[in-house]
Amino acid sequence: MSETLTITDNRTGQSYEVPITDNTINAVDLRQISVPDQPGLSTYDPGLVNTSACRSAVTYIDGDAGILEYRGYPIEQLAEQCTYLEVAYLLIHGDLPNPEQLAAWEASITQRRFVHENVKALTEKTRHDAHPMATMMASVAGLHTFYPAGRRYDDPASRDLQVRRLIAKMPTIAAYSYRHSLGLPYVYPLDTLSYTENFLAMLFKMGEPRYKADPRLVRALEVLFILHADHEQNCSTTAVRTVASAGNDPYTSISAGIGALFGPLHGGANEAVLRMLDRIGDQSNIGSFIDGVKAGNEKLMGFGHRVYKNYDPRARIIKDACHDVFEVTGVNPKLEIAQELEAIALEDEYFKERKLYPNVDFYSGLIYEALGLPPEMFTVMFAIPRTSGWLSQWLEQVVDSEQKIARPKQIYTGKRGRSL
Ligand code: ACO
């Protein structure tokens, strides 16, 4: 079988043969296809829905089969057997750590949890009702001013240091943003607590001498962090890679990723699920709600996925975590509505035909709400673990000799040749 594609340009009758590599053609090979007075042929792909823009060895997804793997390990095994920091190490380094490597990694992350007092001051200067995600975005971008050497991305030691710093400081920045939105004093990190325990303490500690999170909640948070750590070339990762392609440090690049994730079409769907469950209000209203969805009046939020056309493997794991959390916090009637909604939709021809299954967001908002977090914090909770994924992709981007500054073409639709 010839690994080539023959293209006949019917404008000229001329045929061209372009190589197929890794089941793709190189868009630059199309440039040779041209007619007089026109530039060579290019592709039009808004949203880059059918364009590979990089090679990556971080995350593998088979949407039809419902498979998600980080560095070759199935998400189910990682969620069951690992901590978030182990998974972050895996994403960054390519392999799981041995016990010594893990101890060194955890220690170096733990010792970097504090942020400069001026980062705290920066948070304090935002409005009292600032959205915590906007505050977080500004704080992460602001880290560049403390670590300008982060731009030395051609130095492996410098890259490694910035990666540890960012993974370490994200929960602190997130917690400060949250406490600021409530007008509460900030809680400093405590080295004796694990990554997630410490984060919960920084969020929720009040006057008690020592905040002790229920271990089941800590584990549920670890699982949520693992599930959200990476998802290959999604919108925010593409933003990180695009900003990095201009030669930027990770603080600048990741603040762009946070900006992309802030968007309701990307990180905000779990918030929409909660609003929907609130509106349904009672199990007796589910039937009429489903009828409205089938009539095209609205969408069943938390269902469907651009890539997963079978079942989002993360949804199944989150559903189990949900039960563990509600064991601690008491059952929320919204969980019962969600479960009933899922059961009905999975049996309904409308959803079956369209391959609509619960996605990662169907249950995650319920967990965050049960933890006591307001909807504005949901995307922040996403950004903390996604930082390890963004950084793994940033690391690939800056050493990839095939990469160039991102600079797509356009189809010009405006006027020409005007003069004053
Ligand atoms: N409820 C009802 N119908 C739906 C839903 C839904 N949630 N999602 C898709 N459909 C229908 C569409 O109306 C369309 O029907 P039609 O063929 O009769 O026109 C069909 O299913 C195919 O839908 P598309 O929009 O083509 O699917 P696409 O892959 O483009 O969209 C998306 C995926 C955006 C996730 C969509 O399913 C959706 O909007 N879901 C709800 C929002 C949501 O949960 N987003 C979170 C995604 S996970 C994440 O980003 C972390």
Side-chain angles (χ1 to χ4, degrees):
M1 189 171 65
S2 168
E3 290 289 306
T4 61
L5 177 74
T6 303
I7 305 168
T8 303
D9 185 345
N10 293 322
R11 298 172 298 179
T12 58
Q14 204 172 329
S15 284
Y16 303 84
E17 194 170 340
V18 297
I20 298 176
T21 314
D22 300 319
N23 203 32
T24 58
I25 59 162
N26 191 325
V28 174
D29 286 339
L30 299 178
R31 270 196 198 149
Q32 58 181 312
I33 305 173
S34 64
V35 290
D37 302 326
Q38 290 273 354
L41 204 67
S42 61
T43 56
Y44 178 57
D45 188 4
L48 302 176
V49 296
N50 197 33
T51 298
S52 299
C54 64
R55 295 176 188 280
S56 179
V58 180
T59 291
Y60 174 80
I61 300 176
D62 180 338
D64 292 327
I67 293 173
L68 168 61
E69 294 172 359
Y70 296 159
R71 302 283 190 186
Y73 291 102
I75 192 68
E76 292 82 358
Q77 290 181 17
L78 295 171
E80 201 176 320
Q81 298 174 38
C82 296
T83 62
Y84 166 67
L85 277 189
E86 277 176 290
V87 171
Y89 184 100
L90 170 71
L91 288 169
I92 299 292
H93 294 96
D95 289 304
L96 282 165
N98 63 31
E100 295 76 44
Q101 287 167 327
L102 180 60
W105 170 250
E106 284 175 345
S108 74
I109 300 283
T110 303
Q111 80 184 51
R112 294 188 165 82
R113 287 175 181 167
F114 273 76
V115 293
H116 194 286
E117 284 291 287
N118 287 359
V119 175
K120 199 173 96 181
L122 204 132
T123 306
E124 274 159 7
K125 294 290 180 243
T126 59
R127 254 176 72 124
H128 69 281
D129 56 354
H131 195 294
M133 191 70 161
T135 308
M136 183 188 225
M137 181 166 41
S139 302
V140 171
L143 285 180
H144 172 83
T145 63
F146 299 96
Y147 308 113
R151 194 156 274 191
R152 290 206 323 263
Y153 57 82
D154 47 348
D155 170 5
S158 169
R159 290 199 297 267
D160 186 53
L161 181 58
Q162 319 312 325
V163 162
R164 288 162 197 253
R165 275 189 184 136
L166 256 166
I167 292 176
K169 293 181 197 313
M170 285 298 275
T172 313
I173 289 172
Y176 281 6
S177 309
Y178 173 62
R179 307 276 297 198
H180 175 73
S181 69
L182 297 177
L184 289 171
Y186 305 159
V187 175
Y188 286 112
L190 202 57
D191 284 5
T192 51
L193 300 177
S194 76
Y195 190 81
T196 38
E197 276 177 304
N198 172 61
F199 178 48
L200 287 170
M202 289 191 296
L203 286 174
F204 299 127
K205 186 176 182 310
M206 296 302 283
E208 68 274 42
R210 199 166 171 167
Y211 177 86
K212 181 88 189 91
D214 188 295
R216 289 168 293 182
L217 297 185
V218 175
R219 185 59 209 157
L221 194 57
E222 293 275 347
V223 170
L224 279 172
F225 276 11
I226 292 168
L227 299 183
H228 285 92
D230 197 56
H231 212 232
E232 51 121 304
Q233 307 311 315
N234 52 81
C235 177
S236 55
T237 301
T238 303
V240 169
R241 279 184 175 265
T242 302
V243 172
S245 79
N248 274 303
D249 62 282
Y251 308 107
T252 309
S253 306
I254 278 163
S255 66
I258 296 173
L261 192 65
F262 197 3
L265 296 184
H266 189 8
N270 49 11
E271 197 179 327
V273 171
L274 279 196
R275 278 201 302 273
M276 174 188 78
L277 295 174
D278 270 333
R279 240 177 338 106
I280 296 173
D282 188 89
Q283 291 196 39
S284 61
N285 299 327
I286 293 178
S288 57
F289 172 79
I290 293 272
D291 289 344
V293 170
K294 283 157 53 176
N297 298 340
E298 61 183 307
K299 279 189 170 170
L300 172 50
M301 296 310 288
F303 261 63
H305 197 278
R306 172 57 61 77
V307 178
Y308 296 116
K309 298 299 176 193
N310 177 316
Y311 199 96
D312 181 341
R314 301 167 299 176
R316 199 172 281 129
I317 305 167
I318 284 204
K319 193 174 171 185
D320 292 342
C322 217
H323 288 291
D324 298 343
V325 168
F326 283 113
E327 226 179 78
V328 181
T329 62
V331 171
N332 177 335
K334 274 186 251 178
L335 174 67
E336 286 161 356
I337 298 175
Q339 284 174 325
E340 183 65 15
L341 204 50
E342 179 187 353
I344 292 174
L346 290 180
E347 288 305 314
D348 193 296
E349 272 315 307
Y350 175 95
F351 298 93
K352 280 191 191 170
E353 258 171 34
R354 291 168 177 76
K355 299 186 184 293
L356 299 172
Y357 298 92
N359 59 47
V360 68
D361 286 323
F362 194 64
Y363 287 105
S364 63
L366 281 167
I367 297 185
Y368 293 140
E369 190 182 64
L371 291 177
L373 291 166
E376 304 79 66
M377 276 299 285
F378 294 179
T379 43
V380 172
M381 300 298 286
F382 196 153
I384 298 169
R386 182 53 61 88
T387 299
S388 57
W390 287 330
L391 286 166
S392 327
Q393 307 266 351
W394 177 83
L395 286 166
E396 278 190 342
Q397 174 78 25
V398 297
V399 298
D400 184 344
S401 59
E402 285 185 4
Q403 283 299 329
K404 297 180 185 316
I405 183 168
R407 205 310 185 182
K409 290 172 79 75
Q410 64 168 4
I411 299 173
Y412 181 67
T413 60
K415 296 187 169 63
R416 296 251 355 256
R418 298 170 113 183
S419 73
L420 287 170

